[in-house]
Amino acid sequence: MSNTLNTLMELVSQKFDKKIEELGPDTTLESLGVDSLGKIELIFDLEDHFDVRIPNEDAKVDTLAEVAALLDTAKPTH
């Protein structure tokens, strides 16, 4: 697993009060109870943590692996 995915799983584990062992690349945001507003909030939190910006049109992701890939290709804010 990529460093981004590992970090993402740690953050999601804390934010959604899940055990990290319950999470994997194929874990869906829906299974975590993340609705469309929650997805936007999560993306904002991740942008701050990873110091990147993700355009809204790119934020169409469903699994943690897709979120990690999006973060890996996002533009740094500085």
Side-chain angles (χ1 to χ4, degrees):
M1 271 188 264
S2 73
N3 287 337
T4 303
L5 182 57
N6 286 331
T7 302
L8 173 62
M9 289 191 331
E10 289 173 20
L11 294 170
V12 167
S13 169
Q14 295 167 7
K15 184 171 179 74
F16 297 103
D17 196 30
K18 299 283 184 186
K19 293 181 182 174
I20 199 152
E21 298 83 26
E22 298 173 355
L23 304 174
D26 296 328
T27 300
T28 64
L29 297 177
E30 183 179 350
S31 73
L32 298 171
V34 178
D35 59 11
S36 56
L37 179 59
K39 189 185 290 188
I40 292 167
E41 291 173 351
L42 177 62
I43 295 294
F44 283 149
D45 290 345
L46 295 172
E47 285 179 330
D48 289 343
H49 182 83
F50 287 95
D51 201 22
V52 296
R53 286 295 162 245
I54 300 169
N56 283 343
E57 61 272 8
D58 291 343
K60 293 174 177 64
V61 291
D62 294 313
T63 66
L64 295 184
E66 291 172 345
V67 175
L70 184 63
L71 290 167
D72 282 339
T73 60
K75 296 183 189 241
T77 58
H78 50 263

